Amino acid sequence: MNFRSDNEAPVNTTIMQAIVAANSGFDESYGYDSYTNKLQQEMQKLFGCWCEVVPLTTGTAANSLAMALTTPAYGSLLCYESAHMMTDECGAPEFYSGGAKLIGIGGDEGKINTGSLDNYLAGVGVHGEHECLVSAISITQSTEAGTLYSLQELRQIKSIKEKYGLLLHMDGSRIANAIASLGCTVAEVTWKSGVDLLSFGATKNGAMMAEALIIFNPKIAKEIKRMRKRAGQLISKMRFVSAQLLAYLKDDLWLQLATHANQQAQLLLHALKSSHEFIYPVQANEVFLRLSPKAIRQLQKQGFEFHVWPGSHDIIRLVFSHATQSKHVVELIEALKKPL
Ligand SMILES: Cc1ncc(COP(=O)(O)O)c(C=O)c1O
């Protein structure tokens, strides 16, 4: 019973069928195919605005291209101190941007603290040309801690970005889980909240390998095509990535899959909230739970798979996906309720 990662979940059947259906005959290569054209239109409908849609194969590529588009080589981008970009992308964002700097800002529950962000920015500039030019902020929605930025928090970040004339990137590797949970539109959470570009993830929520960088700000969209090529992300048979994203959006499949994943997390929360320590509020599809090392070993012996959080011996991360079966969550709850 796998609660280790949504990356380990299978591909959703409808999306798999869409790949197979796209596999008939010839179509243009390098993004000039009918699927990618249609995707451009569908995303514009979804967001209700102009946007440039750039299909990609990994979230790391989306985040790294976002950094390259927003931050010059002599610049810096501010993100949460343990954001995925900071800790799990092997320096790719800095590499793509030609050496720009990532700067971590502290906070709680996986989110940048807006007071710390404002304080940091207020102190910028005293070293003149000796310091990197702060160019952008990146936030993750839903966060690496399974929490969410509320619309009010997003408004605060928007006003900070505007105060200092910065660009705003959102790592939406799990944006579907955020939208399904917040119950507002994806437009409200992104461009209406000042987001200039979004890494729109689908792989973790049912696609095989399909992400897209969605650029809302035409000023930064100009050079994306050459940058994508230089990043090795100009996919010749792009139709198979776009076909996944089209199936993902059709009839709100993306929200249905994310709702299912979120509901599994809520099932666990409601069954155990009075008996167990949840490290962060459970707002999307990831749960961090404190357990004794003995209880952790016991669960592992019973075949439950999850990560013991690096650097800790008593915190586990459970990830629920579109493919998580409720009966397995119930089994997990029962195992957790048993006295040791
Ligand atoms: C929040 C977040 N952003 C980005 C990524 C990167 O995605 P990929 O592994 O496809 O490069 C991940 C992957 O787990 C992630 O959790």
Side-chain angles (χ1 to χ4, degrees), residues 7 58-60 63 84 89 140 144 171 173-174 204:
N7 284 311
T58 70
T60 299
N63 288 345
H84 198 272
E89 296 183 2
T140 310
E144 291 80 357
D171 176 352
S173 196
R174 295 186 181 81
K204 291 162 183 47

Side-chain angles (χ1 to χ4, degrees), residues 63-79:
N63 288 345
S64 302
L65 280 167
M67 177 141 174
L69 286 171
T70 56
T71 313
Y74 50 84
S76 61
L77 176 144
L78 311 182
C79 62

Side-chain angles (χ1 to χ4, degrees), residues 305-324:
E305 295 172 288
F306 47 81
H307 278 301
V308 178
W309 206 235
S312 84
H313 61 287
D314 63 350
I315 296 176
I316 65 165
R317 186 190 73 170
L318 300 164
V319 185
F320 302 87
S321 78
H322 66 100
T324 302

Side-chain angles (χ1 to χ4, degrees), residues 99-176:
K101 207 171 156 68
L102 270 175
I103 294 176
I105 303 290
D108 302 307
E109 300 174 352
K111 296 185 273 189
I112 290 179
N113 177 293
T114 47
S116 309
L117 180 64
D118 202 11
N119 275 346
Y120 180 86
L121 287 164
V124 155
V126 286
H127 298 284
E129 76 265 40
H130 297 268
E131 63 184 270
C132 285
L133 179 73
V134 182
S135 306
I137 303 167
S138 177
I139 53 176
T140 310
Q141 179 81 314
S142 55
T143 73
E144 291 80 357
T147 56
L148 297 174
Y149 286 93
S150 65
L151 284 182
Q152 197 195 339
E153 287 168 318
L154 291 174
R155 239 172 268 131
Q156 283 168 5
I157 291 175
K158 179 174 188 258
S159 76
I160 294 174
K161 114 170 197 175
E162 285 169 353
K163 178 171 163 191
Y164 295 97
L166 305 176
L167 292 164
L168 181 59
H169 166 247
M170 181 175 278
D171 176 352
S173 196
R174 295 186 181 81
I175 185 80

Side-chain angles (χ1 to χ4, degrees), residues 276 284 300:
H276 285 72
Q300 287 166 331

